[in-house]
Amino acid sequence: MIYLDNAATTRILPCATEKIIRFADKEYFNPSAGYAPAIAVRHEIDRSAEVIASMLGADADEIVFTSCATESNNYALSCGIKNKKGNIVVSASEHASVYECAMRLRSRGTEVRFVDPDKTGHVTPESVAAATDRNTAFVSVIHCSNETGTVNDISGISAAVRAVSPTAVIHSDGVQAFAKIRTDMHTLGVDLYSVSAHKVGGLKGVGALFIRRGLNMQPFIAGGGQQSGRRSGTENVCGITSFSAAAAEYAKAAETFDAHSLRKIFTDRFGGRADVLVNGCGILSGYILSLSFKGLKGEIIAHGMEDRGILIGLGSACSTHVKANRTLGAMGVGKDFAEGSVRISFSPATTRAEAETAAEALEEVTDELHRKTGR
Ligand code: PLP
């Protein structure tokens, strides 16, 4: 099997599995207990926060572990908005876990302003600034698009927002950027930043939220006061410790992994064709590639690839049921292309040979579908 859906999830790294077994079996103590073995577990959680923080150019006390990035995003949008009368500005190419929170806020009376990406897939500082005014209380723009891999200029966006609304809280969903591209919180200028473990070789069901020191965030989950009262509930020790182990190892592998050269295998093959769109251009992550085949259906292409032992995605795993892709629609990709979209995503474990085999298979599958459907 060739697995090219790493933006949906990644295979767990052995160093992460080791932590899971260790803290599920031998060191299973509740980190809030007062005896020595439990205190040792607490120290492991603290060390994990240090690892994640250092990867974000932050301090350990600025990290809150959550049950997933969906929770991190919900926390950010539920508790990050201070000026309840203010408006919020959100990009139209957010993951559903931000987009649906914004829609919920809108249904409850908050003014939500959506900013479309441009044709290249980028949400520009200029377009975010144009939607911002003095009453803007909260801004959320995804760092790296889970659909197209385009990387937004978050530091430019932060500066542009602060020039208009200095008190606005700025959030970015960093799930597809973390451990792959530079994610320094001071450089990005954000107050809140969401990450997920299972996109970088960790366990599913674990995430974290960076909360800039000094930002007064009410707890999203109230209870026993764990994580300095910001996120109650006994910590997921296996998930947290395996997250930091995986993230550190993934980031190290990413330093020498040339994702762009794998992406190029596909863009060289399909880039010049009038019936295929390579979605997004300019500053991109090499890890994600979105292709749209005119007149075909993404699901059918993906099934054809699966029949050949190659797994690819259709877009965000959480939104495979959404017929026309929201991000591509906002970029201006027509329905005839958007419905034939597939997402190919790599990890440092992907080999050049796998990418070459998959690119060839994709051409065969789509050519065959064109012949069969006469489109
Ligand atoms: N944000 C982005 C950009 C994602 O790609 C995903 C997962 O697909 C999420 C958030 C949700 O992450 P999780 O599965 O940890 O809830």
mmCIF file of all heavy atoms in Angstrom, residues 7-9 67-73 93-98 142-147 173-177 194-199 203-207 288 316-318 343, ligand 1:
data_model
loop_
_atom_site.group_PDB
_atom_site.id
_atom_site.type_symbol
_atom_site.label_atom_id
_atom_site.label_comp_id
_atom_site.label_asym_id
_atom_site.label_seq_id
_atom_site.Cartn_x
_atom_site.Cartn_y
_atom_site.Cartn_z
ATOM 1 N N ALA A 7 -2.089 14.388 5.299
ATOM 2 C CA ALA A 7 -2.716 15.579 5.878
ATOM 3 C C ALA A 7 -3.950 15.175 6.679
ATOM 4 O O ALA A 7 -4.433 15.937 7.525
ATOM 5 C CB ALA A 7 -3.088 16.574 4.786
ATOM 6 N N ALA A 8 -4.475 13.965 6.405
ATOM 7 C CA ALA A 8 -5.618 13.462 7.183
ATOM 8 C C ALA A 8 -5.120 12.878 8.502
ATOM 9 O O ALA A 8 -5.657 13.156 9.574
ATOM 10 C CB ALA A 8 -6.375 12.403 6.395
ATOM 11 N N THR A 9 -4.096 12.059 8.408
ATOM 12 C CA THR A 9 -3.438 11.555 9.615
ATOM 13 C C THR A 9 -2.140 10.882 9.194
ATOM 14 O O THR A 9 -1.946 10.569 8.006
ATOM 15 C CB THR A 9 -4.324 10.570 10.411
ATOM 16 O OG1 THR A 9 -3.791 10.462 11.741
ATOM 17 C CG2 THR A 9 -4.384 9.180 9.785
ATOM 18 N N SER A 67 -7.811 17.868 23.670
ATOM 19 C CA SER A 67 -8.136 16.526 23.167
ATOM 20 C C SER A 67 -7.947 16.423 21.659
ATOM 21 O O SER A 67 -8.080 15.340 21.102
ATOM 22 C CB SER A 67 -9.578 16.169 23.515
ATOM 23 O OG SER A 67 -10.445 16.970 22.747
ATOM 24 N N CYS A 68 -7.692 17.524 20.982
ATOM 25 C CA CYS A 68 -7.451 17.532 19.530
ATOM 26 C C CYS A 68 -7.400 18.993 19.081
ATOM 27 O O CYS A 68 -7.741 19.887 19.856
ATOM 28 C CB CYS A 68 -8.560 16.799 18.767
ATOM 29 S SG CYS A 68 -10.218 17.460 19.048
ATOM 30 N N ALA A 69 -6.982 19.199 17.844
ATOM 31 C CA ALA A 69 -6.933 20.581 17.356
ATOM 32 C C ALA A 69 -8.331 21.153 17.183
ATOM 33 O O ALA A 69 -8.527 22.368 17.253
ATOM 34 C CB ALA A 69 -6.166 20.654 16.046
ATOM 35 N N THR A 70 -9.315 20.286 16.961
ATOM 36 C CA THR A 70 -10.694 20.780 16.882
ATOM 37 C C THR A 70 -11.064 21.445 18.210
ATOM 38 O O THR A 70 -11.661 22.521 18.242
ATOM 39 C CB THR A 70 -11.649 19.612 16.544
ATOM 40 O OG1 THR A 70 -11.310 19.129 15.246
ATOM 41 C CG2 THR A 70 -13.106 20.040 16.563
ATOM 42 N N GLU A 71 -10.668 20.807 19.321
ATOM 43 C CA GLU A 71 -10.918 21.435 20.626
ATOM 44 C C GLU A 71 -10.115 22.728 20.763
ATOM 45 O O GLU A 71 -10.639 23.741 21.252
ATOM 46 C CB GLU A 71 -10.565 20.477 21.777
ATOM 47 C CG GLU A 71 -10.900 21.099 23.131
ATOM 48 C CD GLU A 71 -10.373 20.314 24.331
ATOM 49 O OE1 GLU A 71 -10.428 19.071 24.314
ATOM 50 O OE2 GLU A 71 -9.915 20.958 25.293
ATOM 51 N N SER A 72 -8.855 22.715 20.332
ATOM 52 C CA SER A 72 -8.029 23.931 20.425
ATOM 53 C C SER A 72 -8.707 25.080 19.687
ATOM 54 O O SER A 72 -8.772 26.205 20.190
ATOM 55 C CB SER A 72 -6.638 23.691 19.825
ATOM 56 O OG SER A 72 -6.005 22.598 20.445
ATOM 57 N N ASN A 73 -9.208 24.791 18.492
ATOM 58 C CA ASN A 73 -9.864 25.843 17.707
ATOM 59 C C ASN A 73 -11.165 26.305 18.364
ATOM 60 O O ASN A 73 -11.481 27.496 18.394
ATOM 61 C CB ASN A 73 -10.133 25.346 16.276
ATOM 62 C CG ASN A 73 -8.853 25.272 15.459
ATOM 63 O OD1 ASN A 73 -7.853 25.920 15.791
ATOM 64 N ND2 ASN A 73 -8.854 24.493 14.388
ATOM 65 N N SER A 93 -11.176 30.120 4.065
ATOM 66 C CA SER A 93 -10.532 28.826 3.783
ATOM 67 C C SER A 93 -10.098 28.116 5.057
ATOM 68 O O SER A 93 -9.170 27.310 5.045
ATOM 69 C CB SER A 93 -9.341 29.025 2.842
ATOM 70 O OG SER A 93 -8.558 30.111 3.239
ATOM 71 N N GLU A 94 -10.803 28.399 6.143
ATOM 72 C CA GLU A 94 -10.491 27.710 7.400
ATOM 73 C C GLU A 94 -10.947 26.258 7.371
ATOM 74 O O GLU A 94 -11.899 25.912 6.663
ATOM 75 C CB GLU A 94 -11.192 28.432 8.562
ATOM 76 C CG GLU A 94 -10.703 29.838 8.818
ATOM 77 C CD GLU A 94 -9.221 29.895 9.156
ATOM 78 O OE1 GLU A 94 -8.778 29.154 10.028
ATOM 79 O OE2 GLU A 94 -8.509 30.697 8.524
ATOM 80 N N HIS A 95 -10.298 25.455 8.197
ATOM 81 C CA HIS A 95 -10.785 24.105 8.467
ATOM 82 C C HIS A 95 -12.167 24.215 9.121
ATOM 83 O O HIS A 95 -12.470 25.225 9.780
ATOM 84 C CB HIS A 95 -9.792 23.412 9.415
ATOM 85 C CG HIS A 95 -10.135 21.997 9.726
ATOM 86 N ND1 HIS A 95 -10.863 21.626 10.832
ATOM 87 C CD2 HIS A 95 -9.847 20.852 9.065
ATOM 88 C CE1 HIS A 95 -11.005 20.318 10.837
ATOM 89 N NE2 HIS A 95 -10.400 19.819 9.778
ATOM 90 N N ALA A 96 -12.964 23.176 8.966
ATOM 91 C CA ALA A 96 -14.331 23.202 9.512
ATOM 92 C C ALA A 96 -14.364 23.524 11.008
ATOM 93 O O ALA A 96 -15.329 24.139 11.493
ATOM 94 C CB ALA A 96 -14.997 21.851 9.254
ATOM 95 N N SER A 97 -13.333 23.140 11.736
ATOM 96 C CA SER A 97 -13.345 23.353 13.194
ATOM 97 C C SER A 97 -13.211 24.827 13.568
ATOM 98 O O SER A 97 -13.523 25.203 14.698
ATOM 99 C CB SER A 97 -12.255 22.523 13.874
ATOM 100 O OG SER A 97 -10.995 22.766 13.286
ATOM 101 N N VAL A 98 -12.765 25.668 12.652
ATOM 102 C CA VAL A 98 -12.798 27.117 12.864
ATOM 103 C C VAL A 98 -14.052 27.687 12.191
ATOM 104 O O VAL A 98 -14.816 28.449 12.790
ATOM 105 C CB VAL A 98 -11.532 27.798 12.283
ATOM 106 C CG1 VAL A 98 -11.684 29.314 12.253
ATOM 107 C CG2 VAL A 98 -10.310 27.413 13.114
ATOM 108 N N ILE A 142 -5.908 30.678 8.898
ATOM 109 C CA ILE A 142 -5.169 29.410 8.902
ATOM 110 C C ILE A 142 -3.726 29.655 8.418
ATOM 111 O O ILE A 142 -3.498 30.467 7.522
ATOM 112 C CB ILE A 142 -5.918 28.385 8.014
ATOM 113 C CG1 ILE A 142 -5.393 26.970 8.227
ATOM 114 C CG2 ILE A 142 -5.878 28.758 6.527
ATOM 115 C CD1 ILE A 142 -6.329 25.891 7.663
ATOM 116 N N HIS A 143 -2.761 28.938 9.033
ATOM 117 C CA HIS A 143 -1.355 29.157 8.647
ATOM 118 C C HIS A 143 -1.066 28.451 7.318
ATOM 119 O O HIS A 143 -0.654 29.080 6.363
ATOM 120 C CB HIS A 143 -0.436 28.653 9.774
ATOM 121 C CG HIS A 143 0.986 29.100 9.617
ATOM 122 N ND1 HIS A 143 1.974 28.733 10.481
ATOM 123 C CD2 HIS A 143 1.599 29.878 8.686
ATOM 124 C CE1 HIS A 143 3.123 29.274 10.090
ATOM 125 N NE2 HIS A 143 2.918 29.969 9.016
ATOM 126 N N CYS A 144 -1.289 27.144 7.287
ATOM 127 C CA CYS A 144 -1.081 26.385 6.044
ATOM 128 C C CYS A 144 -2.393 25.684 5.716
ATOM 129 O O CYS A 144 -2.926 24.952 6.551
ATOM 130 C CB CYS A 144 0.040 25.364 6.244
ATOM 131 S SG CYS A 144 0.176 24.200 4.875
ATOM 132 N N SER A 145 -2.903 25.914 4.516
ATOM 133 C CA SER A 145 -4.203 25.346 4.151
ATOM 134 C C SER A 145 -4.153 23.823 4.099
ATOM 135 O O SER A 145 -3.293 23.251 3.429
ATOM 136 C CB SER A 145 -4.649 25.895 2.795
ATOM 137 O OG SER A 145 -5.724 25.115 2.311
ATOM 138 N N ASN A 146 -5.100 23.191 4.766
ATOM 139 C CA ASN A 146 -5.191 21.729 4.733
ATOM 140 C C ASN A 146 -5.692 21.246 3.382
ATOM 141 O O ASN A 146 -5.593 20.068 3.064
ATOM 142 C CB ASN A 146 -6.108 21.203 5.850
ATOM 143 C CG ASN A 146 -7.448 21.890 5.869
ATOM 144 O OD1 ASN A 146 -7.547 23.083 6.103
ATOM 145 N ND2 ASN A 146 -8.496 21.134 5.591
ATOM 146 N N GLU A 147 -6.236 22.153 2.574
ATOM 147 C CA GLU A 147 -6.758 21.748 1.266
ATOM 148 C C GLU A 147 -5.709 21.890 0.171
ATOM 149 O O GLU A 147 -5.566 21.010 -0.667
ATOM 150 C CB GLU A 147 -7.974 22.605 0.890
ATOM 151 C CG GLU A 147 -9.124 22.559 1.878
ATOM 152 C CD GLU A 147 -9.883 21.244 1.874
ATOM 153 O OE1 GLU A 147 -9.596 20.375 1.033
ATOM 154 O OE2 GLU A 147 -10.768 21.082 2.730
ATOM 155 N N ASP A 173 -4.678 28.675 12.943
ATOM 156 C CA ASP A 173 -4.722 27.211 12.991
ATOM 157 C C ASP A 173 -3.435 26.724 12.319
ATOM 158 O O ASP A 173 -3.263 26.847 11.108
ATOM 159 C CB ASP A 173 -5.974 26.749 12.220
ATOM 160 C CG ASP A 173 -6.088 25.238 12.122
ATOM 161 O OD1 ASP A 173 -5.071 24.539 12.323
ATOM 162 O OD2 ASP A 173 -7.187 24.745 11.819
ATOM 163 N N GLY A 174 -2.550 26.166 13.151
ATOM 164 C CA GLY A 174 -1.229 25.783 12.641
ATOM 165 C C GLY A 174 -1.060 24.293 12.408
ATOM 166 O O GLY A 174 0.070 23.803 12.273
ATOM 167 N N VAL A 175 -2.185 23.574 12.347
ATOM 168 C CA VAL A 175 -2.119 22.104 12.299
ATOM 169 C C VAL A 175 -1.238 21.580 11.156
ATOM 170 O O VAL A 175 -0.432 20.679 11.351
ATOM 171 C CB VAL A 175 -3.558 21.522 12.210
ATOM 172 C CG1 VAL A 175 -3.541 20.048 11.828
ATOM 173 C CG2 VAL A 175 -4.265 21.707 13.538
ATOM 174 N N GLN A 176 -1.389 22.161 9.967
ATOM 175 C CA GLN A 176 -0.647 21.616 8.815
ATOM 176 C C GLN A 176 0.728 22.275 8.650
ATOM 177 O O GLN A 176 1.487 21.904 7.760
ATOM 178 C CB GLN A 176 -1.468 21.762 7.522
ATOM 179 C CG GLN A 176 -2.803 21.037 7.540
ATOM 180 C CD GLN A 176 -2.674 19.512 7.546
ATOM 181 O OE1 GLN A 176 -1.600 18.942 7.342
ATOM 182 N NE2 GLN A 176 -3.790 18.824 7.814
ATOM 183 N N ALA A 177 1.021 23.238 9.497
ATOM 184 C CA ALA A 177 2.329 23.910 9.412
ATOM 185 C C ALA A 177 3.295 23.369 10.457
ATOM 186 O O ALA A 177 4.502 23.230 10.186
ATOM 187 C CB ALA A 177 2.143 25.413 9.621
ATOM 188 N N SER A 194 -3.105 26.801 17.159
ATOM 189 C CA SER A 194 -3.568 25.417 17.409
ATOM 190 C C SER A 194 -2.697 24.399 16.690
ATOM 191 O O SER A 194 -2.343 24.603 15.519
ATOM 192 C CB SER A 194 -4.997 25.245 16.876
ATOM 193 O OG SER A 194 -5.849 26.224 17.402
ATOM 194 N N VAL A 195 -2.407 23.298 17.368
ATOM 195 C CA VAL A 195 -1.653 22.200 16.737
ATOM 196 C C VAL A 195 -2.274 20.850 17.118
ATOM 197 O O VAL A 195 -3.021 20.749 18.087
ATOM 198 C CB VAL A 195 -0.146 22.226 17.130
ATOM 199 C CG1 VAL A 195 0.534 23.490 16.604
ATOM 200 C CG2 VAL A 195 0.058 22.105 18.632
ATOM 201 N N SER A 196 -1.932 19.834 16.328
ATOM 202 C CA SER A 196 -2.515 18.499 16.530
ATOM 203 C C SER A 196 -1.410 17.451 16.486
ATOM 204 O O SER A 196 -0.472 17.565 15.697
ATOM 205 C CB SER A 196 -3.526 18.223 15.412
ATOM 206 O OG SER A 196 -4.068 16.934 15.532
ATOM 207 N N ALA A 197 -1.558 16.412 17.308
ATOM 208 C CA ALA A 197 -0.512 15.383 17.398
ATOM 209 C C ALA A 197 -0.510 14.429 16.206
ATOM 210 O O ALA A 197 0.550 14.056 15.695
ATOM 211 C CB ALA A 197 -0.697 14.576 18.685
ATOM 212 N N HIS A 198 -1.704 14.041 15.736
ATOM 213 C CA HIS A 198 -1.727 12.921 14.777
ATOM 214 C C HIS A 198 -1.323 13.309 13.367
ATOM 215 O O HIS A 198 -1.209 12.453 12.497
ATOM 216 C CB HIS A 198 -3.086 12.202 14.811
ATOM 217 C CG HIS A 198 -4.230 12.948 14.209
ATOM 218 N ND1 HIS A 198 -4.773 12.596 13.002
ATOM 219 C CD2 HIS A 198 -4.957 13.998 14.652
ATOM 220 C CE1 HIS A 198 -5.798 13.397 12.738
ATOM 221 N NE2 HIS A 198 -5.923 14.256 13.728
ATOM 222 N N LYS A 199 -1.060 14.604 13.165
ATOM 223 C CA LYS A 199 -0.562 15.015 11.839
ATOM 224 C C LYS A 199 0.962 14.930 11.787
ATOM 225 O O LYS A 199 1.558 15.110 10.743
ATOM 226 C CB LYS A 199 -0.987 16.450 11.523
ATOM 227 C CG LYS A 199 -2.453 16.762 11.766
ATOM 228 C CD LYS A 199 -3.393 16.095 10.793
ATOM 229 C CE LYS A 199 -4.829 16.516 11.053
ATOM 230 N NZ LYS A 199 -5.771 15.986 10.117
ATOM 231 N N LEU A 203 -0.451 10.488 18.441
ATOM 232 C CA LEU A 203 -1.719 9.761 18.606
ATOM 233 C C LEU A 203 -2.903 10.648 18.200
ATOM 234 O O LEU A 203 -2.883 11.848 18.416
ATOM 235 C CB LEU A 203 -1.822 9.401 20.095
ATOM 236 C CG LEU A 203 -2.843 8.403 20.560
ATOM 237 C CD1 LEU A 203 -2.591 7.027 19.952
ATOM 238 C CD2 LEU A 203 -2.790 8.296 22.094
ATOM 239 N N LYS A 204 -3.928 10.024 17.663
ATOM 240 C CA LYS A 204 -5.161 10.776 17.383
ATOM 241 C C LYS A 204 -5.826 11.139 18.712
ATOM 242 O O LYS A 204 -5.780 10.351 19.658
ATOM 243 C CB LYS A 204 -6.118 9.927 16.534
ATOM 244 C CG LYS A 204 -5.603 9.702 15.121
ATOM 245 C CD LYS A 204 -6.260 8.516 14.469
ATOM 246 C CE LYS A 204 -5.568 8.106 13.201
ATOM 247 N NZ LYS A 204 -4.160 7.656 13.398
ATOM 248 N N GLY A 205 -6.455 12.304 18.740
ATOM 249 C CA GLY A 205 -7.154 12.685 19.972
ATOM 250 C C GLY A 205 -6.267 13.453 20.943
ATOM 251 O O GLY A 205 -6.502 13.416 22.149
ATOM 252 N N VAL A 206 -5.252 14.117 20.434
ATOM 253 C CA VAL A 206 -4.396 14.969 21.280
ATOM 254 C C VAL A 206 -4.059 16.230 20.488
ATOM 255 O O VAL A 206 -3.752 16.163 19.296
ATOM 256 C CB VAL A 206 -3.051 14.285 21.658
ATOM 257 C CG1 VAL A 206 -2.321 15.096 22.723
ATOM 258 C CG2 VAL A 206 -3.271 12.863 22.117
ATOM 259 N N GLY A 207 -4.116 17.353 21.153
ATOM 260 C CA GLY A 207 -3.737 18.604 20.507
ATOM 261 C C GLY A 207 -3.177 19.548 21.538
ATOM 262 O O GLY A 207 -2.986 19.194 22.708
ATOM 263 N N ILE A 288 1.488 19.145 0.847
ATOM 264 C CA ILE A 288 0.092 18.992 0.393
ATOM 265 C C ILE A 288 -0.030 19.449 -1.055
ATOM 266 O O ILE A 288 0.509 20.488 -1.427
ATOM 267 C CB ILE A 288 -0.873 19.823 1.278
ATOM 268 C CG1 ILE A 288 -0.831 19.318 2.731
ATOM 269 C CG2 ILE A 288 -2.299 19.792 0.741
ATOM 270 C CD1 ILE A 288 -1.697 20.103 3.699
ATOM 271 N N SER A 316 -10.194 17.762 3.321
ATOM 272 C CA SER A 316 -10.196 17.543 4.749
ATOM 273 C C SER A 316 -10.972 16.278 5.105
ATOM 274 O O SER A 316 -12.096 16.098 4.661
ATOM 275 C CB SER A 316 -10.824 18.739 5.448
ATOM 276 O OG SER A 316 -10.833 18.512 6.819
ATOM 277 N N ALA A 317 -10.331 15.421 5.896
ATOM 278 C CA ALA A 317 -10.953 14.147 6.256
ATOM 279 C C ALA A 317 -12.294 14.362 6.942
ATOM 280 O O ALA A 317 -13.183 13.536 6.861
ATOM 281 C CB ALA A 317 -10.028 13.357 7.166
ATOM 282 N N CYS A 318 -12.410 15.501 7.626
ATOM 283 C CA CYS A 318 -13.647 15.759 8.359
ATOM 284 C C CYS A 318 -14.741 16.245 7.421
ATOM 285 O O CYS A 318 -15.854 16.463 7.831
ATOM 286 C CB CYS A 318 -13.428 16.823 9.432
ATOM 287 S SG CYS A 318 -11.869 16.694 10.264
ATOM 288 N N ARG A 343 -6.691 15.266 -2.993
ATOM 289 C CA ARG A 343 -5.582 15.828 -2.219
ATOM 290 C C ARG A 343 -4.546 14.732 -1.978
ATOM 291 O O ARG A 343 -4.875 13.642 -1.532
ATOM 292 C CB ARG A 343 -6.088 16.363 -0.877
ATOM 293 C CG ARG A 343 -4.983 17.018 -0.059
ATOM 294 C CD ARG A 343 -5.487 17.461 1.298
ATOM 295 N NE ARG A 343 -5.831 16.338 2.144
ATOM 296 C CZ ARG A 343 -6.289 16.443 3.390
ATOM 297 N NH1 ARG A 343 -6.478 17.641 3.923
ATOM 298 N NH2 ARG A 343 -6.574 15.371 4.103
HETATM 299 N N1 PLP B 1 -7.168 22.161 11.466
HETATM 300 C C1 PLP B 1 -6.643 21.690 10.331
HETATM 301 C C2 PLP B 1 -5.989 22.635 9.390
HETATM 302 C C3 PLP B 1 -6.684 20.317 10.038
HETATM 303 O O1 PLP B 1 -6.153 19.851 8.909
HETATM 304 C C4 PLP B 1 -7.317 19.449 10.960
HETATM 305 C C5 PLP B 1 -7.471 18.013 10.664
HETATM 306 O O2 PLP B 1 -7.795 17.612 9.549
HETATM 307 C C6 PLP B 1 -7.840 20.001 12.143
HETATM 308 C C7 PLP B 1 -7.754 21.352 12.366
HETATM 309 C C8 PLP B 1 -8.492 19.129 13.174
HETATM 310 O O3 PLP B 1 -7.519 18.402 13.874
HETATM 311 P P1 PLP B 1 -7.942 17.241 14.887
HETATM 312 O O4 PLP B 1 -8.151 16.023 14.047
HETATM 313 O O5 PLP B 1 -6.768 17.108 15.822
HETATM 314 O O6 PLP B 1 -9.163 17.690 15.583
#
